Amino acid sequence: MREGLGLLRDRLVGVIDALARFAAKWRELATLGFTHFQPAQLTTVGKRACLWCYDFVLDLQRAGAAHRRPAFRGVKGTTGTQASFLALFHGDHDKCAGSMSW
C-alpha cells in the first residue's frame, strides 16, 4: 500500500506540474464557463486549469497523509474461520481463542 501511494504521489506531482505549465501558457485565453451544461460567465482557460490543478493538490495531500499514517486494519482473521490463526499459533487453540477476544 505504501509503495503504491508513493507511485501515486509521483504521478500526481507530474500532473500538477503539467497543469501548472498549461495554466501559465493559457492564462489570458478567454473562454465561456459552463454550469449545468449551459454557457455561464466568461473566464480564462488558465483559471479553469488552476481549478483542476487544485483538485489534484488536494488529492496529493490526502495521498501524503495516507502514506505517512496508513490505516491499520487489525489482526482478526477471515470472517467465520480461525484457520489462519491456528496456523500462525502452530495449532495452539488457547492462543487462537485469546487472539480473538476483546
Side-chain angles (χ1 to χ4, degrees):
M1 183 71 118
R2 184 168 277 183
E3 183 179 337
L5 286 167
L7 293 171
L8 179 63
R9 179 195 58 223
D10 295 344
R11 298 278 174 101
L12 283 169
V13 168
V15 168
I16 291 166
D17 180 60
L19 271 174
R21 285 185 275 114
F22 178 87
K25 180 178 178 179
W26 299 104
R27 69 180 175 263
E28 295 181 15
L29 180 62
T31 188
L32 280 179
F34 277 77
T35 180
H36 302 97
F37 300 108
Q38 296 181 1
Q41 69 186 61
L42 193 63
T43 187
T44 65
V45 173
K47 180 178 178 179
R48 296 298 304 165
C50 286
L51 294 173
W52 303 329
C53 192
Y54 182 66
D55 285 339
F56 285 116
V57 168
L58 294 177
D59 293 337
L60 180 62
Q61 290 173 347
R62 288 183 195 108
H67 187 265
R68 287 186 303 277
R69 293 180 307 279
F72 181 66
R73 297 292 181 203
V75 295
K76 288 183 96 174
T78 305
T79 303
T81 180
Q82 292 182 346
S84 59
F85 281 100
L86 281 173
L88 181 65
F89 297 129
H90 306 290
D92 187 332
H93 288 274
D94 292 332
K95 285 183 180 178
C96 184
S99 71
M100 300 302 283
S101 65
W102 293 90

